[in-house]
Amino acid sequence: MALKSAQVLALLQAKQADFKTFDQTALHALQKYRAALAEASQKTAVELEQMLGAARAVGARPLEPVGNFLNWVIPSNLVWQNREQSLSWVRDRLIGIATFAVDGSQIFPTKDFSIPVALVQIGWFENLHLPSGTYEKDVALDVMTPAELKVNHSGEPVDRRVNMRRFEMETQRLIQYMQEHKNCNDCLVFFDGSLIATFAEAFDPDTRAFYVDCLLELLQTSEDYRVPLVAYIDTSYARDLTVMLQQGFKLPEANAIHDAQLLSKFMSWGDRTPLFLCQRSGILGQYQAHADKIAFTYLKTTHDGYPARLEMPVWMYEAGIVDRVLDWVRGEVVIGNGYPYVIETADQTAVLQAEDRHTFYRIFQDWAEKEELNLRLSRKMVSKARRR
């Protein structure tokens, strides 16, 4: 039955006071935090450190100089008259620079099969940015068995094992690429997501440790092999700068406010914030030697949307390559019309469609019959097969 629009509108009308109260409260808090942002941006890094004190979980601490940029916005001054001009700028910076990204997709176990099985696929894309148009695009697969899915472990979600395997395959492929490109000063590895596994805090200790270990190996490889690594978060709700302002200026907590929302009003395309050291509470406490080695900035990548969050190992700042690398990121965003082209292409390479799922099920069914496995199908699946 179709949604009854009249009932929805009536309920919204009846509860409009709650929505207006939330909106007004959030707006009032946002104004306070933006006032604090303006004040904080006029202070030196030393003055900010004095305000924050010695506590560790203060959200963030400045790495780059911060006292000369109003609202912590470093203008890019990049304005073009047309797309041809922007692409010319990109060519001047990206020609001969290899960019690399990985993404993944999966087919979760289905209740229509009596034998649990899953498929994980990762796809990668390397663009060498040469006049010849040379690139590499490929995939890797893994089939997960009942033992790997741990189906006999009562209470453990099977789908989570699939997600963990996908994450592991993605990070391992990035690690492999960095190992193959040691001391590379003309390449950039993109990680699609955050280097800080805050999402894993909701999981059990073993699962949390799994995700942290994957990311620690990624960070360590980038540092050891000196290959630039940028984690790209297109839509970020991180609150590190917000927490920093809250603690430094003794502001009331405002969980509805996040960094990108706080900064966006003051940024134009290509602008970024100074680089900050992430000092978030929670899972960073498990990052061992890398707990104080993850830096971040916000980069405006669209004209009307919130800025993207970029994270990177601190060694890149210490090596003095951040500005050059950020121009490479801007170049990828220009090519991709607001989103890094290399990440977008990796996603398109990895994605599994409904047709791929049907093909996988058919292959597994035929193989199980050949191997004389006792595979039973649900009546629902048999009915669907007959109708096709």
Side-chain angles (χ1 to χ4, degrees):
M1 183 178 293
L3 182 68
K4 294 184 177 180
S5 302
Q7 288 188 16
V8 174
L9 287 171
L11 287 167
L12 288 172
Q13 191 64 29
K15 299 182 179 183
Q16 65 167 302
D18 287 348
F19 286 104
K20 286 186 176 180
T21 299
F22 175 84
D23 187 52
Q24 291 169 357
T25 302
L27 180 60
H28 182 63
L30 183 59
Q31 291 170 342
K32 282 188 175 181
Y33 273 79
R34 281 181 171 159
L37 171 64
E39 185 178 347
S41 68
Q42 302 305 304
K43 296 183 180 296
T44 66
V46 173
E47 290 171 328
L48 286 174
E49 291 286 1
Q50 291 173 345
M51 290 177 61
L52 294 171
R56 190 201 172 279
V58 293
R61 293 183 184 275
L63 276 179
E64 291 183 303
V66 292
N68 298 319
F69 305 106
L70 184 61
N71 298 309
W72 286 338
V73 174
I74 302 177
S76 67
N77 299 314
L78 292 174
V79 179
W80 302 291
Q81 298 303 313
N82 50 53
R83 181 150 179 85
E84 286 71 23
Q85 286 185 4
S86 66
L87 291 176
S88 176
W89 181 90
V90 171
R91 281 192 294 271
D92 289 343
R93 283 149 186 83
L94 276 183
I95 285 291
I97 304 300
T99 54
F100 183 79
V102 180
D103 205 348
S105 188
Q106 66 282 316
I107 298 173
F108 291 112
T110 175
K111 294 180 180 178
D112 293 323
F113 282 176
S114 61
I115 300 176
V117 62
L119 179 72
V120 178
Q121 175 171 282
I122 61 165
W124 58 86
F125 178 65
E126 181 188 27
N127 191 344
L128 299 179
H129 294 288
L130 295 173
S132 61
T134 306
Y135 67 87
E136 180 191 349
K137 185 192 298 184
D138 209 345
V139 299
L141 299 168
D142 191 21
V143 173
M144 298 187 70
T145 68
E148 292 170 321
L149 292 167
K150 298 187 177 181
V151 293
N152 294 323
H153 290 59
S154 60
E156 183 171 356
V158 173
D159 287 2
R160 184 182 298 171
R161 302 299 307 179
V162 181
N163 290 328
M164 291 166 67
R165 178 59 179 143
R166 169 181 162 175
F167 192 85
E168 180 181 41
M169 289 175 67
E170 290 175 1
T171 53
Q172 285 299 313
R173 183 64 186 93
L174 294 172
I175 288 167
Q176 178 188 347
Y177 182 87
M178 290 190 286
Q179 291 172 338
E180 293 168 351
H181 295 77
K182 186 174 183 179
N183 296 321
C184 184
N185 57 13
D186 58 0
C187 64
L188 172 61
V189 171
F190 281 91
F191 176 68
D192 185 12
S194 176
L195 295 170
I196 306 159
T198 301
F199 68 91
E201 290 179 352
F203 299 147
D204 60 90
D206 289 343
T207 303
R208 284 200 302 272
F210 173 87
Y211 282 108
V212 169
D213 288 345
C214 287
L215 290 169
L216 287 183
E217 187 177 0
L218 186 68
L219 287 162
Q220 192 63 52
T221 303
S222 173
E223 183 176 325
D224 290 345
Y225 287 80
R226 278 318 199 244
V227 178
L229 169 68
V230 167
Y232 190 94
I233 307 101
D234 181 65
T235 304
S236 171
Y237 294 96
R239 304 183 63 254
D240 299 323
L241 296 180
T242 308
V243 170
M244 179 184 180
L245 292 173
Q246 188 265 322
Q247 297 209 12
F249 289 87
K250 312 303 179 188
L251 296 172
E253 289 191 11
N255 293 329
I257 298 175
H258 53 86
D259 296 350
Q261 174 191 25
L262 186 68
L263 296 161
S264 184
K265 175 183 177 181
F266 310 110
M267 302 180 79
S268 299
W269 192 96
D271 293 350
R272 72 172 179 97
T273 66
L275 208 60
F276 290 87
L277 181 68
C278 188
Q279 298 280 270
R280 188 181 303 174
S281 63
I283 204 162
L284 267 183
Q286 297 179 231
Y287 271 54
Q288 304 168 31
H290 290 276
D292 296 312
K293 288 187 177 182
I294 299 176
F296 69 92
T297 182
Y298 287 89
L299 177 70
K300 186 75 166 174
T301 56
T302 62
H303 290 288
D304 52 357
Y306 286 161
R309 178 182 169 104
L310 277 58
E311 297 170 355
M312 63 195 74
V314 166
W315 76 261
M316 292 169 57
Y317 166 69
E318 295 170 345
I321 63 173
V322 170
D323 285 330
R324 179 158 48 101
V325 168
L326 290 181
D327 269 350
W328 297 346
V329 176
R330 290 186 182 99
E332 280 287 340
V333 169
V334 170
I335 298 170
N337 289 311
Y339 189 77
Y341 178 76
V342 65
I343 300 179
E344 180 183 10
T345 307
D347 171 75
Q348 294 170 352
T349 305
V351 68
L352 291 164
Q353 308 284 0
E355 183 179 347
D356 299 312
R357 184 162 52 250
H358 298 318
T359 300
F360 173 61
Y361 290 157
R362 186 169 60 251
I363 292 171
F364 182 67
Q365 186 179 351
D366 292 344
W367 176 82
E369 183 177 348
K370 175 177 172 291
E371 296 297 323
E372 299 182 349
L373 298 179
N374 186 25
L375 176 65
R376 297 184 303 277
L377 307 184
S378 70
R379 292 184 180 181
K380 179 180 178 181
M381 176 166 273
V382 172
S383 176
K384 282 184 177 180
R386 286 172 179 166
R387 292 196 299 269
R388 289 197 177 100

